[in-house]
Amino acid sequence: MSSNSPASPVRRGFVDVPFGQVHYREVRWEGRPLVLLHASPGSSRQLVPLIEQLGTGRRVLAPDTAGFGDSSPHPLAAPDARDFAATTLAALDALGLEEFDLYGSHTGACIAAEIAIAQPTRVAHLVLDGVGLFEGAFLESLLANYAPAFTPDLDGAYLSRAFQFLRDQCSFWPWYNRTREGRREAGIMPAPALHAWLLELLKANETYPLGYHAAFTWPVRERLPMVPVPTLMMAASDDPLAANTAELAPTLPGARYESLPAASDPAFAARRQAVVESFLG
């Protein structure tokens, strides 16, 4: 079902929080809700297909992280993953969510893990889709190069640079390593999807680097083993964080790890849906 179709079950809303407003997308059903947290540098817009897939019999809700999409900026100048978890929890509190299942992708996975650590009695199940391990010289390179400023200019060149930043994420890891060694085989996403992603990036033009910084600097070896709730860790085979996720899964006692087909594989979406729904029960 197209996310732009009038028949789409996904609805949008805002909730008031102490630092402004948080925008969210949801499908409403009864029962324990599933909260989805998006990756950087997008918003819940990129999760619409997953919201539609998983929202066929349960309530699924996906907020825009503070400073992303249509949510107000984070009140701190340099928030870490725990700070993003606190603002996300403020939104879930305002929405009246007491107990919920939780899914996070990439940056969203760091935030989701911190929510589970902070409020374990409220998180029934946790799904971490792509968890990164960034250390040493590689971390220094990411912090220096990964999230450049796209300062508006009168000839619009910044728009082209922003588009290429997203396009190259499909082809290289990191995106700026345009070499044979950095090549990804995921394939470039269709132009309309890149366009939609670009619009979400531009909404967070000044704040999107904060999400990357929080994810890159999250002390995963220290914090991940502290997660006390039932956890599924998974990644698509062509996810650049797949090897990291598989390596880190054994450090979380009792966690289950699932390797998914490549995101470019036609079987990927159905397999991901089946794995997540089986875990959540």
Side-chain angles (χ1 to χ4, degrees), residues 64-132:
D64 293 346
T65 301
F68 290 80
D70 293 313
S71 289
S72 299
H74 199 285
L76 297 180
D80 61 19
R82 278 178 273 190
D83 297 322
F84 278 115
T87 50
T88 302
L89 276 167
L92 301 184
D93 291 344
L95 287 164
L97 272 64
E98 294 294 333
E99 184 183 15
F100 47 86
D101 295 319
L102 189 56
Y103 162 101
S105 172
H106 289 212
T107 302
C110 306
I111 299 170
E114 289 293 346
I115 290 175
I117 294 170
Q119 297 283 337
T121 60
R122 297 174 65 183
V123 179
H125 301 86
L126 176 66
V127 180
L128 303 179
D129 187 352
V131 180

Side-chain angles (χ1 to χ4, degrees), residues 12-15 17 19 21-26 35-39 42-48 51 61-74 84 87-88 91-92 95 111 200 203-204:
R12 301 171 63 179
F14 287 87
V15 63
V17 291
F19 61 93
Q21 288 190 309
V22 167
H23 171 260
Y24 62 93
R25 290 174 166 86
E26 73 171 339
V35 177
L36 308 181
L37 304 183
H38 62 83
S43 72
S44 61
R45 168 65 181 78
Q46 277 63 52
L47 290 174
V48 166
I51 298 171
L61 185 144
D64 293 346
T65 301
F68 290 80
D70 293 313
S71 289
S72 299
H74 199 285
F84 278 115
T87 50
T88 302
L92 301 184
L95 287 164
I111 299 170
E200 300 307 304
K203 288 180 182 179

Side-chain angles (χ1 to χ4, degrees), residues 42 155 180 265:
D155 60 7
R180 184 188 300 269
D265 188 319

